[in-house]
Amino acid sequence: MEEVIRLEGVKKYYEVRSGLLGSKILKALDGVTLSIRKKETVAVVGESGCGKSTLGRVSLRLLDVTDGRVFFKGQDISMMREEELRAKSFRKKMQIIFQDPYSSLNPFMRIGDIVAEPLEIHGYRREEIREAVYRALEDVKLVPPEEFVNRYPHELSGGQRQRVNIARALVLGPEYIVADEPVSMIDASSRAEILLLLKSIRDSREMGVLYITHDIATARYVSERVAVMYLGEIAETGLTTSVLKTPIHPYTILLLNSVPEPDPANRRRRRPVIKGEPPSPLNPPSGCKFHTRCPVAIERCRIEKPALTEYLPGHFVACHRAEEIMRGALSVT
Amino acid sequence: MSGALAVEDLRVYYRTDRGAVRAVDGVSFSLARGESLAVVGESGSGKSTLGLTLIRALPANASVVSGRVYIEGEETLSLSLTDFRRRYSWRVISMVFQGAMNSLNPVLKVGDQIAEPLIYNGETPRDEARRRAMEMIELVGLPREFYYRYPHELSGGMRQRIVIAMSLVMNPKILILDEPTSALDVTIQAQIINLVKELIERFSLSVIFITHDLALASDIADRIMVMYGGQIVELGSAERVLGEATKHPYTEKLLASIPRLRGETIPEFIPGRPPDLASPPPGCRFHPRCPYVFDRCVKEEPPLFKVGEGHVAKCWLHGE
Ligand SMILES: Nc1ncnc2c1ncn2[C@@H]1O[C@H](COP(=O)(O)OP(=O)(O)OP(=O)(O)O)[C@@H](O)[C@H]1O
Ligand SMILES: Nc1ncnc2c1ncn2[C@@H]1O[C@H](COP(=O)(O)OP(=O)(O)OP(=O)(O)O)[C@@H](O)[C@H]1O
Ligand code: SF4
Ligand SMILES: [Mg+2]
Ligand SMILES: [Mg+2]
């Protein structure tokens, strides 16, 4: 299948004030390579602050890259000017769905107008607008659409509002969508509905999706591939089935162990945890950035940065001890 | 185990311009000494309102319409607020409020915030209170020097530890934790849960653990109480509520909605939305979303039926 998005060695640095006078470089993304094909979802998981949203925004060129390249359908857009992005219709073809279904919808606008807005901005005709809005509402199962177009956001549940957000992202016929924590603020009982919906729309509209999440368990149901990030870098990436079944990077293994499952036996055991918190990205550790929290770190980890290396087919890991872990010669938990 | 807490027929309504919001509507349960009870339910099911009622901290537009709350045998809703605060707040029962880690006072050192209840409620001398606060800070796994830090200098996980330290500073016997980890990463959540477990054991606390997450509840709970639309729909041991035992359709669907790391099942969802508590549906409040709904559910409200040893469910499927 055709590649929709490709990032090559993407870096995004911020200059942030530190102390009274000085400034420091914050490496939000530090050399990320990733691609997404049509009808494919790649999940990006990791702790707060590891760079997930930055990755999403850079891939949409909502943020400029510091270094590296971003390709949309084979064309380098990393330096493309805004007018050109628009003239080539790239802006329409790349959309984002935000986390918060409550504040992201204008409370004074009707659902129909909210969904129509992007089309109006792009100067579509009335009939076209009506048709695209109805189709999008049908796609997100806000049916019958004529019943929803006249409602206001407060009349909808969190899950329904998030579906309005998705419809709004769909009206311009995108080929690439970034879904940034699309279900983290809605009730557990509606999450699966939204995620499964996103997946089926992705297939019917043949889109590529970047699914950003804290919740690695949901990645399983919606993504073909997953990238686990730590402090602006990819620690492990591969087919979702492979990474979840055979996690190799100590961080991934421990992250998976932190996910609660409903088992009454849990209360008699302590959970294996990752000690401490992610270090400040202003002052990242040398070598492997995970070494300060890694239970199996060795001297080499402090000094030398491990390269992302293929250990299983299509399954890459950046860890000096990956080979031992994979062989079962070393236990992380 | 004898009773730490007992609640009888509690009803708490909010006055709003849309009429009375029946946030807690006929809730009865008890908590044994040393027991941990998880209160689980979706947003708006009345979990926080229940907790706030128990510690007499409801907002001004709420009123307790009916009910009794017994703490260690004494009815406490009929006590004057001053009396309750003097005798129960912090020292017998305390609560980690939902979102408390984000509402610490930004201009006060966190240590002073921990020491505050000791000084004002316990009439403890200042340096004694400071010493005690430092002990608490250590107890929750932070260095003593954190006494002098301000909230913005701490991460979310650290602030949550501070808030927990605060709740325990006067050695309460009953602790209510309202969503203590919901804003945190799973990695930090796991650390906080381990800490909470340790503290429960160490101080033989009786605990009410409020969460929307059944999986997380299983980390702490001896028993699980599932709330829906201001009412208890199921109450039983963690083994029964999470296991194969017959259960309330809502609990069943809620369990099925949890994404799993292993196994073949695809998570399900519950269509529709939770009831509007200003005008809840007649009959069983879950009936508009229930896959098993039949005539009776629409017309008549089911009582809590016994479905097993110490296990009840509010559903006509389990009735006569
Ligand atoms: N405009 C900015 N200026 C300076 N630093 C920034 C800026 N935007 C993001 N950062 C920093 O970049 C890092 C990555 O942030 P990002 O928002 O991408 O993380 P995230 O993985 O999406 O986190 P979360 O899970 O909390 O949403 C963080 O350390 C953040 O503080
Ligand atoms: N101060 C208030 N005034 C009016 N209504 C309120 C007030 N506080 C809560 N409510 C309403 O009471 C009901 C129960 O709310 P409560 O906060 O107890 O639910 P909850 O289960 O804790 O939800 P969440 O999981 O979102 O914290 C909801 O319908 C809510 O909108
Ligand atoms: S490289 Fe070293 S420190 Fe990094 S994850 Fe592997 S073992 Fe741990
Ligand atoms: Mg983010
Ligand atoms: Mg609450």
Side-chain angles (χ1 to χ4, degrees):
Chain A
M1 267 288 175
E2 182 193 343
E3 204 168 81
V4 182
I5 278 288
R6 172 168 200 82
L7 307 186
E8 272 178 17
V10 166
K11 296 183 180 171
K12 178 67 190 174
Y13 294 175
Y14 290 107
E15 199 175 314
V16 295
R17 295 242 315 263
S18 84
L20 282 176
L21 306 163
S23 73
K24 274 191 150 180
I25 298 295
L26 185 149
K27 302 183 175 179
L29 289 178
D30 204 10
V32 170
T33 296
L34 184 115
S35 68
I36 304 174
R37 288 184 290 269
K38 244 184 188 177
K39 290 174 119 171
E40 181 185 47
T41 300
V42 174
V44 177
V45 302
E47 285 164 288
S48 187
C50 71
K52 303 181 296 296
S53 297
T54 306
L55 177 68
R57 277 152 208 263
V58 161
S59 75
L60 293 165
R61 266 301 307 280
L62 293 174
L63 288 174
D64 290 336
V65 298
T66 306
D67 193 18
R69 304 209 287 170
V70 180
F71 299 88
F72 176 66
K73 302 212 307 182
Q75 288 204 53
D76 189 344
I77 59 166
S78 22
M79 294 294 162
M80 206 173 268
R81 290 201 329 274
E82 193 60 35
E83 302 86 87
E84 195 178 347
L85 285 169
R86 283 183 193 282
K88 291 198 158 130
S89 288
F90 288 176
R91 278 277 173 247
K92 287 194 227 167
K93 301 286 176 203
M94 307 163 82
Q95 296 291 327
I96 182 162
I97 302 163
F98 293 107
Q99 173 175 19
D100 186 352
Y102 296 93
S103 66
S104 54
L105 299 179
N106 182 336
F108 303 109
M109 279 171 75
R110 290 174 202 274
I111 301 307
D113 298 327
I114 291 174
V115 178
E117 196 176 41
L119 294 159
E120 275 156 11
I121 292 169
H122 281 90
Y124 282 74
R125 282 182 296 113
R126 278 184 78 137
E127 309 79 75
E128 287 174 317
I129 292 181
R130 195 188 134 93
E131 201 198 307
V133 168
Y134 273 53
R135 179 168 167 228
L137 288 174
E138 269 161 13
D139 274 2
V140 299
K141 305 268 174 352
L142 289 174
V143 283
E146 53 275 21
E147 207 177 272
F148 282 91
V149 283
N150 289 319
R151 296 222 207 153
Y152 287 94
H154 74 260
E155 298 171 66
L156 306 184
S157 69
Q160 288 174 324
R161 285 185 223 202
Q162 197 55 306
R163 285 188 268 159
V164 173
N165 271 317
I166 299 174
R168 188 181 152 90
L170 288 177
V171 281
L172 291 167
E175 293 175 52
Y176 172 56
I177 285 204
V178 174
D180 194 347
E181 311 260 15
V183 295
S184 65
M185 291 183 70
I186 59 189
D187 260 314
S189 68
S190 321
R191 284 185 191 164
E193 181 176 24
I194 301 292
L195 291 175
L196 299 175
L197 189 69
L198 254 177
K199 188 171 175 174
S200 81
I201 298 171
R202 176 203 74 183
D203 286 339
S204 63
R205 294 195 173 222
E206 306 203 329
M207 305 183 297
V209 176
L210 183 73
Y211 170 59
I212 295 174
T213 182
H214 272 96
D215 185 357
I216 195 166
T218 59
R220 223 188 125 195
Y221 303 101
V222 297
S223 71
E224 283 69 31
R225 286 189 297 134
V226 61
V228 180
M229 284 184 70
Y230 192 75
L231 282 180
E233 294 174 357
I234 293 181
E236 177 158 11
T237 182
L239 293 177
T240 307
T241 46
S242 182
V243 173
L244 294 194
K245 246 191 219 123
T246 327
I248 298 172
H249 198 288
Y251 180 59
T252 314
I253 294 174
L254 292 168
L255 193 62
L256 286 167
N257 266 299
S258 308
V259 178
E261 300 243 345
D263 178 356
N266 284 343
R267 72 182 191 278
R268 280 179 283 275
R269 52 173 104 100
R270 303 196 65 206
R271 266 208 251 142
V273 296
I274 309 183
K275 62 183 183 206
E277 306 200 1
S280 160
L282 280 172
N283 215 342
S286 58
C288 168
K289 285 184 180 171
F290 189 55
H291 86 252
T292 52
R293 299 169 80 195
C294 181
V296 295
I298 47 176
E299 185 61 15
R300 184 179 173 200
C301 308
R302 251 188 325 122
I303 301 157
E304 188 189 330
K305 183 179 172 129
L308 206 53
T309 310
E310 188 167 10
Y311 285 91
L312 289 168
H315 184 158
F316 298 78
V317 184
C319 168
H320 292 307
R321 310 203 69 182
E323 201 268 333
E324 296 162 86
I325 293 168
M326 210 182 58
R327 265 196 290 124
L330 181 67
S331 163
V332 173
T333 52
Chain B
M1 291 202 280
S2 65
L5 184 103
V7 173
E8 284 174 8
D9 192 36
L10 187 66
R11 283 170 215 276
V12 183
Y13 296 179
Y14 291 102
R15 283 179 303 278
T16 71
D17 41 14
R18 292 167 47 247
V21 170
R22 296 148 75 166
V24 171
D25 210 10
V27 162
S28 306
F29 66 94
S30 62
L31 180 72
R33 285 212 180 96
E35 184 187 31
S36 295
L37 173 75
V39 177
V40 181
E42 280 174 281
S43 187
S45 56
K47 307 181 295 296
S48 297
T49 305
L50 173 62
L52 294 172
T53 310
L54 302 182
I55 60 153
R56 302 278 306 265
L58 284 167
N61 68 328
S63 41
V64 177
V65 176
S66 81
R68 286 166 296 278
V69 171
Y70 297 90
I71 299 179
E72 310 225 287
E74 183 179 11
E75 208 292 313
T76 54
L77 285 180
S78 54
L79 295 178
S80 75
L81 198 53
T82 340
D83 218 16
F84 181 85
R85 287 198 179 133
R86 192 169 49 82
R87 294 174 46 212
Y88 286 94
S89 304
W90 301 97
R91 60 183 84 230
V92 180
I93 185 167
S94 77
M95 179 158 169
V96 172
F97 295 100
Q98 184 168 16
M101 61 179 243
N102 297 319
S103 44
L104 284 165
N105 188 334
V107 298
L108 272 187
K109 297 184 187 78
V110 294
D112 287 338
Q113 300 189 52
I114 297 174
E116 210 174 73
L118 284 170
I119 296 166
Y120 293 100
N121 298 50
E123 290 139 24
T124 313
R126 254 166 217 286
D127 26 331
E128 166 76 22
R130 170 168 307 167
R131 204 184 42 76
R132 172 95 181 120
M134 284 190 175
E135 264 173 39
M136 294 309 297
I137 291 172
E138 238 172 5
L139 194 73
V140 296
L142 298 173
R144 288 173 94 89
E145 309 81 79
F146 271 45
Y147 186 101
Y148 302 100
R149 299 267 182 112
Y150 290 91
H152 75 266
E153 298 174 302
L154 305 181
S155 71
M158 292 169 186
R159 274 181 279 134
Q160 192 59 52
R161 287 174 194 264
I162 293 293
V163 169
I164 291 173
M166 198 182 298
S167 73
L168 293 176
V169 75
M170 290 187 73
N171 265 322
K173 303 190 174 86
I174 306 168
L175 178 65
I176 305 171
L177 296 150
D178 193 354
E179 302 276 11
T181 63
S182 58
L184 302 169
D185 269 310
V186 285
T187 52
I188 309 300
Q189 173 178 286
Q191 295 173 357
I192 299 284
I193 290 294
N194 281 346
L195 170 70
V196 167
K197 279 177 163 163
E198 223 176 275
L199 295 171
I200 291 176
E201 219 165 276
R202 177 156 181 171
F203 297 108
S204 317
L205 295 168
S206 313
V207 172
I208 295 181
F209 180 66
I210 296 175
T211 174
H212 61 274
D213 185 347
L214 262 174
L216 199 62
S218 77
D219 251 311
I220 303 272
D222 301 314
R223 282 194 304 152
I224 296 179
M225 172 167 131
V226 182
M227 286 187 74
Y228 187 80
Q231 303 178 322
I232 299 174
V233 295
E234 178 158 5
L235 178 57
S237 68
E239 280 73 14
R240 289 193 59 96
V241 174
L242 300 174
E244 299 301 315
T246 24
K247 47 181 69 82
H248 193 280
Y250 176 62
T251 315
E252 180 191 317
K253 292 290 151 198
L254 211 52
L255 265 175
S257 72
I258 302 172
R260 308 295 180 108
L261 285 168
R262 287 163 272 277
E264 296 308 313
T265 49
I266 304 266
E268 295 177 32
F269 56 88
I270 313 179
R273 59 196 293 194
D276 173 3
L277 295 180
S279 55
C284 167
R285 289 189 179 174
F286 187 56
H287 90 252
R289 302 172 80 189
C290 183
Y292 311 114
V293 58
F294 59 105
D295 306 347
R296 192 166 192 185
C297 316
V298 181
K299 295 193 207 104
E300 241 180 295
E301 181 178 330
L304 281 162
F305 290 108
K306 181 171 176 181
V307 293
E309 201 42 51
H311 185 189
V312 291
K314 190 180 173 70
C315 169
W316 285 121
L317 290 174
H318 306 302
E320 323 88 68

